[in-house]
Amino acid sequence: MKIELNGNEYNIEQNGITIQKLIDELKLDIKSTAVAVNKTIVSKSSYAEFKLNENDKIDMVTIAPGG
């Protein structure tokens, strides 16, 4: 399954992978990460159930303190 993550194309072996599983595989800290799929923000409470589809465009943004 092909997805686009932050502008980079990835081939994911598992069809219907959830956002949470993707985050786990990428070893990201979700405390300060916002996720949008096809330009729609997904709430953190939905990460474990939200399944990604072929050609989805995912944007993950990590908020960092400072200036």
Side-chain angles (χ1 to χ4, degrees):
M1 173 174 89
K2 289 183 185 178
I3 62 167
E4 185 178 302
L5 175 60
N6 292 344
N8 297 307
E9 192 172 287
Y10 289 87
N11 286 310
I12 305 295
E13 291 182 20
Q14 179 183 350
N15 286 331
I17 190 172
T18 64
I19 292 173
Q20 184 62 55
K21 181 77 173 166
L22 182 63
I23 288 170
D24 292 344
E25 287 186 12
L26 296 174
K27 298 179 180 160
L28 298 174
D29 177 12
I30 64 166
K31 291 178 189 171
S32 57
T33 300
V35 177
V37 178
N38 301 320
K39 298 186 180 184
T40 300
I41 293 177
V42 179
S43 68
K44 287 183 183 177
S45 62
S46 299
Y47 289 0
E49 298 101 34
F50 194 103
K51 292 184 179 181
L52 299 171
N53 297 302
E54 181 83 20
N55 297 316
D56 275 348
K57 293 183 180 181
I58 301 107
D59 293 302
M60 290 188 185
V61 179
T62 302
I63 301 160

